[in-house]
Amino acid sequence: MTAARGEPVRPATDLDIVIVTYGRSDLVRACLDSFEAARPSVATRVHVVDNDSPDDTPDMVEREYPDVLLTRRAGNDGFAVANNAVLRTSEAAYVLLLNPDTRLEPGTVDHLLEVLEREPDIGMIGCRLLTADGSLDHAAKRSIPSVATAAKYFVLRAVGRTGSDYVRPDVRDDGVADVDAVNGAFMLVRGTALAEVGLLDERYWMYAEDLDWCVRFRKAGWRVVYDGRVVAHHLKGGSSDGPRRTALNYQFHRSMALFYLRHLRSNTTVLDVLVVAAIWARFGVSTVLNGVNRGVRGLLRAGDAHG
């Protein structure tokens, strides 16, 4: 494909978009509507893989979006398993993993496809992600954390700040750079790279599977790129409002421990034991704090209802 700068991309190629859903049919509808308004100029198939939603999400998709390829799973085996159900059989030139709480902007996908066509050593690319309040989702451009940078990141998060090297403050929000990882909410992947690197690791039920995948892409020699010149929107936590429930919090910390042991393990067994113990200690503290937070919110709602 050749395209002059500024012209819409018209590659003779195709794209699979994979959206994994679990409840919140309102968010899924908004996501699919944004795709219709921002439809790429390439042949595109949209796959919705529903993880046994407790609401009418799959029925809504089937009823309102007949062109969407819907897969109804009998249970919720996690994010990686559901995405792999499509990735395993996809033969598309490119695949976009898209969260159901995202919104596309016109031109974003076409721009990124043009970059991929122009730079064949890029295996994966992400864009600037804006949260509901218009601020940057800092996970859109990340470094793989060391023990030190991870600790700094969580300390800063605890006091309501950012700035850890983990979130690449050296890369402008509207800049372009090779990064260690992009956000799993929006990952545009080259099909040939996918065939070489392989599927998402299904040992991660949820969380960190995107970091793991990015590490594997880079180890295989493929570039992972952040392109902040174009935008998508990410309503973070849209399918799980408020503090993480205990089950999700458990999976978050389990994934942290799994990622550490797979990619960051030291040569010192004692240090590894201490790091994993610290991860589970954090799980215990955060579980208590989340429970208190939910309790306070419940009391406030009850007070408002009786006020």
Side-chain angles (χ1 to χ4, degrees):
M1 177 196 70
T2 59
R5 186 174 299 278
E7 293 182 1
V9 62
R10 301 282 180 185
T13 187
D14 60 345
L15 169 71
D16 279 332
I17 297 179
V18 189
I19 304 170
V20 174
T21 59
Y22 180 76
R24 293 302 302 268
S25 60
D26 57 329
L27 295 179
V28 178
R29 179 183 290 111
C31 178
L32 292 172
D33 285 347
S34 78
F35 162 76
E36 292 297 334
R39 182 182 288 272
S41 60
V42 302
T44 305
R45 293 170 294 273
V46 178
H47 303 257
V48 168
V49 183
D50 186 77
N51 273 342
D52 195 25
S53 286
D55 64 2
D56 68 336
T57 292
D59 294 334
M60 180 278 295
V61 172
E62 187 173 55
R63 181 177 64 250
E64 299 182 20
Y65 303 92
D67 292 334
V68 167
L69 301 172
L70 174 66
T71 299
R72 297 174 182 255
R73 296 189 59 82
N76 187 355
D77 298 315
F79 181 81
V81 169
N83 274 291
N84 284 348
V86 175
L87 296 177
R88 187 171 285 109
T89 59
S90 175
E91 297 181 352
Y94 300 102
V95 181
L96 173 61
L97 270 58
L98 193 65
N99 270 19
D101 59 350
T102 54
R103 311 283 186 277
L104 294 176
E105 286 285 347
T108 291
V109 175
D110 278 338
H111 168 87
L112 297 176
L113 287 173
E114 181 180 355
V115 174
L116 287 170
E117 289 282 303
R118 189 171 63 243
E119 301 186 45
D121 57 343
I122 299 176
M124 181 188 302
I125 194 167
C127 66
R128 178 160 35 117
L129 294 175
L130 300 179
T131 61
D133 64 4
S135 62
L136 177 72
D137 177 356
H138 291 281
K141 49 183 177 74
R142 290 179 282 180
S143 294
I144 298 302
S146 65
V147 174
T149 57
K152 180 180 177 182
Y153 173 74
F154 286 119
V155 168
L156 289 172
R157 282 284 301 273
V159 297
R161 297 174 53 198
T162 58
S164 169
D165 292 341
Y166 169 57
V167 294
R168 291 299 301 269
D170 59 310
V171 178
R172 287 172 52 96
D173 294 353
D174 60 355
V176 182
D178 284 56
V179 293
D180 286 351
V182 295
N183 194 321
F186 187 110
M187 304 175 90
L188 181 57
V189 174
R190 187 183 302 276
T192 51
L194 168 63
E196 179 181 343
V197 175
L199 304 174
L200 290 161
D201 189 336
E202 296 183 357
R203 289 178 294 178
Y204 299 92
W205 185 83
M206 188 173 175
Y207 305 112
E209 67 287 301
D210 53 350
L211 286 174
D212 177 272
W213 215 25
C214 289
V215 170
R216 290 161 51 205
F217 267 72
R218 290 187 300 103
K219 284 182 175 179
W222 293 97
R223 294 168 58 203
V224 175
V225 171
Y226 167 80
D227 190 334
R229 295 173 293 183
V230 289
V231 171
H233 303 271
H234 183 206
L235 178 60
K236 299 188 71 171
S239 296
S240 53
D241 294 335
R244 289 191 191 95
R245 298 288 177 179
T246 300
L248 286 180
N249 198 30
Y250 166 79
Q251 292 295 342
F252 176 76
H253 288 84
R254 176 183 175 275
S255 291
M256 286 177 63
L258 178 60
F259 182 86
Y260 174 82
L261 292 173
R262 178 165 187 183
H263 297 294
L264 302 175
R265 185 192 294 267
S266 73
N267 294 321
T268 307
T269 301
V270 172
L271 177 59
D272 292 339
V273 170
L274 289 174
V275 169
V276 173
I279 290 172
W280 287 113
R282 185 183 183 277
F283 164 68
V285 171
S286 62
T287 298
V288 171
L289 292 177
N290 287 349
V292 170
N293 193 328
R294 283 194 296 271
V296 169
R297 291 175 62 181
L299 289 174
L300 290 175
R301 284 196 295 267
D304 291 341
H306 288 89

